[in-house]
Each structure stands twice: as C-alpha cells, then as structure tokens.
Amino acid sequence: MRRAALHSLGCKVNSYETEAMQQMLEEAGYEIVPFHQKADVYVINTCSVTNVADRKSRQMIHRARKLNPEAIVVAAGCYVQTSPEQAAEDAAIDIVIGNNCKKDLIALLEEYECNSTQKTDRCRGKEFSDSMIDSETAVYQPQTALLDINRPSQPYEELHVAHPAEHTRAFLKVQDGCNQFCSYCIIPYARGRVRSRRMEDVVRETKELAENGFQEIVLTGIHLSSYGIDLGYTLLDLIRSVHAVEGIQRIRLGSLEPGIITEEFVSELAKMEKVCPHFHLSLQSGSDTVLRRMNRKYTTEEYFHKCEILRQYYEHPALTTDIIVGFPGETEEEFAETCAFAKRVSFYEIHVFQYSRRKGTAADRMEGQIPSVVKAERSHRLMAIAAEQKKSFAAWYEGKPVEVLFEEAVIKDGETFYEGFTPEYVKIRYRTEESLENKIMKVEFFQIIV
C-alpha cells in the first residue's frame, strides 16, 4: 500500500482543506502516516499570511524532499498561489496545486505518475535550503494546477470532511475568499473573491458529522461575515439551518467582522441556544488613525458599540480579537491608544501579531516601517495586558457551575482528570474516574486552565 503524509500551515480553513485531501487519499487507497515518516507522497498545504509563513512553507516542502528524495512532493495553497514563479523554480516541488484546485489532488497525482520522463529527469538527492531557488536547481517544471483566483466568476470549491481529526469538535468550512483588501493583507490575492458554499451542502455535512458523534461544530471561512452575499443568503440564514440539525449541541462561529454585529443579528443569535457566546471580532488596532491606514471599515467607537450589543444580550460573552502591532507609521501614542482601548473593551483573549510586510500590498509601500526590535517590545507589552485580562475573565467562573464539553483525559500526580471547554471556550480540568470524553455535562469544583 502506498503511503501519504500531510502537513497543514496557517488557518483553520487550511486545516479543513488538508483533512479533505487526506480523506481523498484514503479513499484512493493510500495509508496515511505521520509527516516525519517516510512516505511515497507528501502534501504540504501552505500559508502566506506573513513572510514567516512563506518561509515555514518552504521549510516543510524541503523537509519532505529530504525525508524521501524519491517521493512525490505536492505544494498546495496560499504560498504557491501568491508565489507561482518561486514554486515553479523550486526543485523540491513536483506538483503545485493552487487554491480552488485541491479537489483535483488524486487526478494530478495519477497524471504525474504516468509521466515517466519527469520522474527520471528531475533533480534528486540535493540538500535544500530556503535560498536554493535558482536556475541551478530548477532543472524541470513541476506539474501545475493554478487558476486565476481573482477572477470574479470562480466557483466555490466543494470539499468534504466526514471524519475530522479532532474527536469532539469539527471545523466546517462554509466560505472562501475576501473582498475587503485591508492594506496589510495578501489573502484576497491568495484566496480570491468571496465564494460561499451552498447551504444544503453545509447542512448535509453537518448531519453527517452529527451522525459520526460530533456535538460541536465551528463554522469557518476566510471572511465568514460575507457568507451568502453571492448566493442571496446571509450568515444568519446559515446558522438557523445548522441549528436545526439534531445531534449538534454547540455551534461556534469563526472570526467575524465588527460590521455584522447589529441589534437584529445578535437578538436573533441569542434565541438559538446552541450558539456559543464566544465571539472573535477582528480589531487589528485600537487607534483610529492606524485603522484608517489599514483600510479597516470602522472606528474604535463603532467597535466598542458592537461589544456593548453582545454584552446586552449575553451575560458574560467571551470577546476575543486580533491586534497587529508595529503597523507602518505607528507612533508610540497610537500604540498607547491601542493598549488603552484593549483595556476598555476587556477582552477574553487577544491574539497579538507583529506586522509583517507582504509584497503586493499597499502597506508594503508605506513609509515609516517599524524596526523589528520596536515591534517585539510592543508585542510583549500588549501580551502582558492580554494575559491579565484572560485571568480576570476566567476568574468570573470560580464557584459557579459550568457546562463543559469534555475532550480528553490527563493524568496528574496519579489522579485522572478530564479537560474540556465551556461554551465561552474557557478550559476546564475536572477530577473524575468516569469516562467523560465527548460528553457535555455541568460540573462544580473544577480547575480553570489559563
């Protein structure tokens, strides 16, 4: 039996697509092995959200070639979509698969294996590094499946995952692409315009996941808030349809744009008891002047009002966000505004990112690029604020009974505990001898894991 190994970098959308490709390989008769083992086929689903992501993508591609110089190495996803020339010149890559072409993985493998000249003429056994993308190593052209991802007529690529890798929570991709063009972001160029999955296909997969024992699903996409604008639906329509599926007990939403949070939207969500009160609202900066340079479509006051709406309808909702530090031209005063705004909102979690230049974006051409040492120092300061806020949010649950979806057992000092998450995504550890995996129950006398 032929062996295949896969590795995913980046976001949950990538993870979903990697699981879909793994399922294709399994159905084609491949044995799936861990990535560090020798395999006949390696599939790397790449990321390009930052320069670091590009570098990590190349490293994993070259690691696969070193693991088995005779293997077929497939590079898929955002890095090869945005850097096709580099991918074409990289002798570690046999097959390039861009976004919206991953469904063709098996056909591309079969076509490649039928082409014996490519296999005998290619460069084998070389030592690869990130700098080895030049004419000396580019002795062939890899088999390539790349679409013009920015063409408005691109359809949604239907992929399917029946058996996610996680045991209790299933991520469900429902949307692709982005129309926002924030000045720092390469993703619209990597993923193309907004494309939504048909509601009936989402519901069908949700039912299958419920039949396979999953109680929680996470609706995810590149720009989830835009779901349905190309099909005449809304995200609220989709949530209602998924909410009606028997067996699903929790619905968690991926990252949302602040603009979708309205009185009407939240009041309807609050009527659906399966929807978790855990909302990731993308902020990026707490300074209005920085937000304008970022081409974000809201002010800090508008964002704060969205948070107030959520707190009006939910007793103690978990509000999480992303913040970029060191955006071009960010002054110390603007960074101080961000810190003050973060304290004002009082988030549960803040994912802090140092600004990374991306060629082809408006921000890359801006003056006032911030030195790395300054970005690192600001990142540490904001992360310290985030850590305090997370402790404060979690402490609210002390002494209160909480509902937990338990995921796995852990052994501590010879005693058995189960760990899981509340609807707000607070991690709980509970001592018990009973098997609680994939069970939802209300517990007291637990430990909060921060």
Side-chain angles (χ1 to χ4, degrees):
M1 179 182 288
R2 292 176 63 74
R3 290 149 60 96
L6 302 93
H7 184 80
S8 180
L9 297 104
C11 64
K12 294 300 183 181
V13 170
N14 258 18
S15 298
Y16 176 91
E17 293 169 346
T18 302
E19 290 185 349
M21 289 189 286
Q22 176 173 320
Q23 187 168 301
M24 292 178 213
L25 289 162
E26 289 171 335
E27 292 171 354
Y30 285 82
E31 176 190 358
I32 306 301
V33 299
F35 193 82
H36 64 271
Q37 292 187 12
K38 186 175 182 179
D40 302 293
V41 173
Y42 291 94
V43 179
I44 300 92
N45 199 10
T46 62
C47 178
S48 192
V49 70
T50 64
N51 286 326
V52 172
D54 277 356
R55 185 171 69 250
K56 288 182 177 178
S57 295
R58 291 192 296 269
Q59 288 171 345
M60 295 309 298
I61 290 165
H62 297 160
R63 184 177 301 176
R65 173 59 61 218
K66 292 176 183 177
L67 286 166
N68 183 5
E70 300 301 320
I72 301 173
V73 176
V74 180
C78 292
Y79 165 63
V80 297
Q81 184 73 50
T82 56
S83 304
E85 297 86 4
Q86 284 185 297
E89 294 174 355
D90 191 335
I93 301 173
D94 294 307
I95 301 176
V96 171
I97 303 180
N99 289 322
N100 248 39
C101 295
K102 294 168 187 174
K103 64 183 183 303
D104 301 321
L105 171 63
I106 302 304
L108 289 163
L109 283 170
E110 292 174 349
E111 181 182 347
Y112 180 85
E113 290 184 306
C114 288
N115 188 341
S116 60
T117 57
Q118 208 169 20
K119 294 174 72 176
T120 55
D121 292 346
R122 71 180 312 278
C123 175
R124 295 292 191 188
K126 283 185 174 289
E127 288 295 317
F128 291 97
S129 66
D130 288 346
S131 62
M132 287 185 66
I133 303 176
D134 54 37
S135 57
E136 184 176 305
T137 61
V139 297
Y140 77 109
Q141 287 293 309
Q143 184 170 313
T144 301
L146 284 174
L147 297 174
D148 179 3
I149 200 70
N150 292 296
R151 196 175 71 223
S153 59
Q154 282 289 350
Y156 179 85
E157 180 182 29
E158 182 60 38
L159 298 171
H160 178 259
V161 177
H163 304 283
E166 293 198 33
H167 299 299
T168 59
R169 180 182 302 106
F171 288 84
L172 183 53
K173 179 187 171 187
V174 302
Q175 181 275 336
D176 209 338
C178 181
N179 298 348
Q180 298 300 297
F181 290 95
C182 299
S183 64
Y184 53 82
C185 188
I186 197 70
I187 296 305
Y189 305 98
R191 288 282 180 172
R193 304 293 74 74
V194 167
R195 305 179 301 285
S196 303
R197 190 176 185 182
R198 294 188 308 167
M199 196 181 303
E200 55 266 38
D201 293 330
V202 176
V203 172
R204 185 181 304 113
E205 186 166 329
T206 302
K207 289 179 178 178
E208 187 172 1
L209 290 167
E211 290 169 359
N212 288 334
F214 288 89
Q215 299 193 73
E216 180 178 314
I217 62 167
V218 184
L219 300 180
T220 187
I222 295 300
H223 195 261
L224 184 62
S225 299
S226 295
Y227 175 83
I229 63 172
D230 52 331
L231 300 178
Y233 307 145
T234 67
L235 180 59
L236 197 58
D237 294 330
L238 179 68
I239 296 168
R240 287 194 186 103
S241 296
V242 171
H243 192 272
V245 175
E246 292 185 11
I248 296 299
Q249 303 301 320
R250 288 183 177 181
I251 300 169
R252 204 175 291 278
L253 303 179
S255 180
L256 299 173
E257 284 294 308
I260 200 172
I261 304 299
T262 63
E263 192 93 20
E264 177 188 5
F265 180 80
V266 179
S267 65
E268 290 300 308
L269 277 189
K271 295 174 185 177
M272 293 182 271
E273 68 279 0
K274 295 180 182 179
V275 175
C276 294
H278 172 205
F279 302 98
H280 188 88
L281 297 186
S282 182
L283 174 60
Q284 307 304 355
S285 175
S287 166
D288 287 331
T289 50
V290 175
L291 288 174
R292 285 196 293 272
R293 295 201 298 276
M294 288 179 165
N295 195 32
R296 301 293 288 172
K297 309 293 193 297
Y298 50 83
T299 65
T300 52
E301 281 305 312
E302 289 168 342
Y303 185 100
F304 188 79
H305 177 61
K306 307 297 185 179
C307 298
E308 291 295 283
I309 293 174
L310 288 166
R311 286 175 169 143
Q312 176 186 340
Y313 283 90
Y314 294 95
E315 181 182 13
H316 193 240
L319 305 184
T320 65
T321 199
D322 302 316
I323 295 179
I324 296 172
V325 300
F327 188 77
E330 183 185 64
T331 64
E332 185 60 34
E333 291 74 21
E334 288 171 329
F335 175 69
E337 290 173 358
T338 291
C339 293
F341 187 71
K343 292 177 181 178
R344 181 185 177 198
V345 174
S346 191
F347 292 103
Y348 168 40
E349 286 187 327
I350 303 174
H351 301 152
V352 182
F353 299 91
Q354 297 179 39
Y355 168 72
S356 175
R357 296 182 74 165
R358 304 302 291 118
K359 185 178 179 181
T361 64
D364 179 56
R365 300 186 294 273
M366 290 181 180
E367 296 181 355
Q369 300 289 331
I370 307 298
S372 296
V373 65
V374 175
K375 288 189 284 189
E377 189 270 338
R378 289 178 181 174
S379 175
H380 290 145
R381 285 159 60 189
L382 186 56
M383 288 170 66
I385 294 171
E388 287 302 313
Q389 290 189 345
K390 186 170 186 177
K391 289 179 183 177
S392 177
F393 182 89
W396 186 86
Y397 295 93
E398 292 178 359
K400 298 181 175 71
V402 295
E403 181 188 88
V404 183
L405 171 56
F406 287 101
E407 297 190 352
E408 62 180 354
V410 296
I411 306 297
K412 298 287 184 181
D413 299 323
E415 294 186 299
T416 301
F417 296 81
Y418 264 85
E419 294 181 346
F421 291 88
T422 71
E424 297 82 7
Y425 211 64
V426 175
K427 192 171 186 179
I428 298 297
R429 180 178 294 160
Y430 179 67
R431 187 175 65 178
T432 179
E433 296 298 325
E434 179 185 356
S435 176
L436 297 181
E437 184 175 339
N438 201 29
K439 290 184 179 180
I440 296 177
M441 61 182 293
K442 189 164 286 190
V443 299
E444 296 182 87
F445 311 113
F446 50 81
Q447 178 185 356
I448 297 174
I449 309 298
V450 179

